[in-house]
Amino acid sequence: MGFQKILVALDNSPASRLIFEHGLDLAKSNRAMLRLFHCLNSDVLGESMQVIPVELGFYPEYMAYSYQSKPQLAKERLEQAHAVLNKYCEIATEQGIKADFDCQIGEAAPSVCQAAEKWGADLLVVGRRGRSGLTEALMGSVSNYVLHHSHCSVLVIQGKSEVVSG
């Protein structure tokens, strides 16, 4: 039996390379297709500038610049993500694995599940940063959401625990 379609969810964390390598190894051992997925959260694209009263030094022409730069920032972030994903696809192809990628803007957890279901993945590989307790409750956990909402099997790759400084 084995897996035929493996979706690997990657972010910009240092663990992304490890997660990719696990997905690639599974694709090689199962002779499966590999899809790499990255989701740009709208928060990553930056918030638009808040209105600042003229008395505090705000000039209306800066507001127009802020709104014009947001689409440019989104474009740059998408291009960066595409470059990274394309590099990983090249590595997979060099090792005989059919690979492609998908990059979307949205909330990571539901987007990962939707992408896996839409593509028909039978295995989803995600990373876990090691958050727990209050940190996980406040910041959320993509891997936890995926475990509970994915239509297919999920492999969670454990990352190093985050150190919270305070």
Side-chain angles (χ1 to χ4, degrees):
M1 195 152 116
F3 300 109
Q4 302 301 308
K5 292 176 132 184
I6 300 172
L7 186 131
V8 179
L10 302 170
D11 60 10
N12 288 328
S13 72
S16 285
R17 179 68 185 214
L18 176 66
I19 297 163
F20 165 73
E21 288 172 356
H22 278 284
L24 180 61
D25 287 345
L26 285 165
K28 287 192 288 191
S29 65
N30 286 277
R31 296 185 180 166
M33 290 185 288
L34 192 63
R35 174 160 292 170
L36 307 175
F37 180 80
H38 181 73
C39 188
L40 288 171
N41 190 314
S42 56
D43 293 344
V44 174
L45 300 178
E47 297 295 324
S48 60
M49 208 166 107
Q50 299 296 319
V51 176
I52 302 170
V54 175
E55 304 85 52
L56 297 177
F58 172 74
Y59 297 97
E61 57 270 16
Y62 292 131
M63 184 62 98
Y65 175 76
S66 174
Y67 285 116
Q68 291 170 355
S69 65
K70 193 168 183 176
Q72 181 62 33
L73 178 60
K75 181 181 176 193
E76 289 172 9
R77 295 282 170 95
L78 279 170
E79 288 172 355
Q80 291 170 354
H82 283 199
V84 170
L85 293 170
N86 192 50
K87 181 65 177 165
Y88 283 139
C89 281
E90 289 173 4
I91 293 168
T93 301
E94 289 170 2
Q95 297 187 31
I97 299 300
K98 182 179 177 186
D100 65 8
F101 67 84
D102 184 14
C103 186
Q104 297 178 12
I105 297 174
E107 292 300 317
S111 295
V112 168
C113 291
Q114 291 166 2
E117 186 169 10
K118 183 178 176 183
W119 185 54
D122 49 15
L123 177 65
L124 211 165
V125 180
V126 295
R128 181 175 184 275
R129 291 191 173 138
R131 293 180 182 147
S132 62
L134 185 58
T135 304
E136 183 177 12
L138 293 174
M139 299 183 75
S141 170
V142 172
S143 59
N144 188 36
Y145 181 96
V146 168
L147 278 170
H148 290 93
H149 294 90
S150 177
H151 79 287
C152 64
S153 297
V154 177
L155 172 62
V156 179
I157 306 300
Q158 179 65 48
K160 294 183 180 180
S161 295
E162 291 183 347
V163 177
V164 179
S165 60

